[in-house]
Amino acid sequence: MKQVLTMNDAGGKNYYYKEAVKILRTNIQFTGKDIKSVLFTSCYPNEGKTDIVFQLAVEMGKAGKRVVIVDADIRKSGFIKRYALNEEIPGLSQFLSGQAEKKQIVCSTGYENTDIILSGPVAPNPSELLGQTIFSDLLHELREDYDYVLLDTPPVGSVVDAVVAAQACDGAVIVIESGLVSHKAAQKTLAQLRKSGCSILGAVLNKVDIKKDKYYFSYYKKYGDYYNTKQY
Ligand SMILES: Nc1ncnc2c1ncn2[C@@H]1O[C@H](COP(=O)(O)OP(=O)(O)OP(=O)(O)O)[C@@H](O)[C@H]1O
Ligand SMILES: [Mg+2]
């Protein structure tokens, strides 16, 4: 019996954010039937990865897809913090170090068709754990169990974990906070991720101020004045 977590929609995202997430869901579905495990990373901390992974998973679940979120940020889990979840819930770090079985780490989010594997307690060697075959074998099994496996990872600019995890994924998406990341920094992150051999699906430009974006503003102004997220 799966443990059911109480995860409320803590993001409180507006209409435009949610619409953009639906477009992201459609775009990912159109990348092809072999793209099932998708990793989300960014250049820097705080660009909005965890929110996007959660909202996207819930949106996919609502659309009838079976989804599992893998919280692969073993250093600083966004999910445990954001949803005030119990750090004692067995998670990825324990599974990868042989201290828990798969059936103990897969929990239900309470949202339809949407499960989650939390990061587990902070481990001293996350990149080594994520580089093991036990991690790629787990993703392989999850690909069979679910329609989509969405991975939340730390930023590429800080640690190597996302690049290591990407080696075991079908595709990667880079979340970029509007106005924060230079072209050079984005190119550097892209080059790092390419080393993993994982296919780069694209980028999500997050925290966009629509008032500064004339095209989007003229299109959306009849609905409101702020649009957070768009994709490339
Ligand atoms: N589109 C958005 N517009 C405004 N604020 C946002 C948006 N997306 C996320 N945020 C806010 O930005 C902060 C960081 O979000 P989140 O934790 O999802 O980022 P992260 O990239 O996962 O961070 P970390 O690198 O620490 O894991 C949160 O306070 C969140 O509410
Ligand atoms: Mg996060």
Side-chain angles (χ1 to χ4, degrees):
M1 184 68 185
K2 254 183 266 172
Q3 181 163 3
V4 180
L5 307 178
T6 308
M7 298 179 70
N8 294 320
D9 190 351
K13 298 297 181 218
N14 66 19
Y15 169 82
Y16 304 106
Y17 186 98
K18 293 192 173 186
E19 283 304 299
V21 168
K22 284 184 191 159
I23 297 170
L24 178 61
R25 180 197 75 203
T26 309
N27 288 351
I28 288 178
Q29 283 174 232
F30 273 106
T31 56
K33 67 175 170 46
D34 293 333
I35 305 286
K36 297 186 76 177
S37 52
V38 182
L39 173 143
F40 287 76
T41 191
S42 61
C43 303
Y44 303 122
N46 221 36
E47 294 194 64
K49 302 173 288 297
T50 300
D51 271 356
I52 288 176
V53 168
F54 181 68
Q55 299 288 340
L56 176 64
V58 169
E59 202 47 56
M60 285 176 155
K62 273 196 224 159
K65 300 288 176 198
R66 289 163 299 133
V67 191
V68 62
I69 298 167
V70 178
D71 179 3
D73 192 345
I74 295 174
R75 295 170 198 263
K76 187 172 84 68
S77 165
F79 286 100
I80 294 176
K81 198 175 58 168
R82 178 84 41 87
Y83 297 98
L85 296 171
N86 183 351
E87 287 185 42
E88 302 303 313
I89 298 167
L92 190 62
S93 61
Q94 283 132 318
F95 175 80
L96 297 179
S97 55
Q99 300 175 66
E101 290 176 39
K102 184 181 155 205
K103 63 173 188 276
Q104 293 174 280
I105 60 170
V106 180
C107 301
S108 168
T109 60
Y111 288 86
E112 53 188 321
N113 300 317
T114 309
D115 288 345
I116 187 166
I117 295 176
L118 291 171
S119 63
V122 177
N125 52 345
S127 51
E128 281 81 3
L129 290 178
L130 295 167
Q132 300 177 112
T133 35
I134 185 172
F135 179 65
S136 45
D137 290 348
L138 173 69
L139 290 191
H140 200 76
E141 276 185 40
L142 293 173
R143 280 177 101 266
E144 303 299 312
D145 299 343
Y146 295 88
D147 295 310
Y148 286 100
V149 184
L150 304 181
L151 291 93
D152 186 25
T153 64
V156 170
S158 313
V159 285
V160 75
D161 304 8
V163 179
V164 173
Q167 290 170 357
C169 294
D170 303 326
V173 173
I174 305 174
V175 176
I176 294 185
E177 180 176 331
S178 176
L180 176 81
V181 182
S182 67
H183 182 258
K184 199 173 161 193
Q187 289 297 322
K188 206 171 151 192
T189 294
L190 189 60
Q192 285 289 103
L193 266 182
R194 283 205 171 114
K195 285 185 193 156
S196 69
C198 170
S199 153
I200 314 292
L201 304 180
V204 172
L205 187 64
N206 199 19
K207 305 192 188 183
V208 176
D209 183 351
I210 191 167
K211 285 180 184 161
K212 291 185 185 156
D213 187 325
K214 289 197 180 75
Y215 171 75
Y216 270 76
F217 188 49
S218 61
Y219 187 74
Y220 282 105
K221 70 180 172 189
K222 62 180 172 175
Y223 301 112
D225 63 359
Y226 199 67
Y227 183 75
N228 301 102
T229 303
K230 54 187 178 157
Q231 295 129 52
Y232 293 93

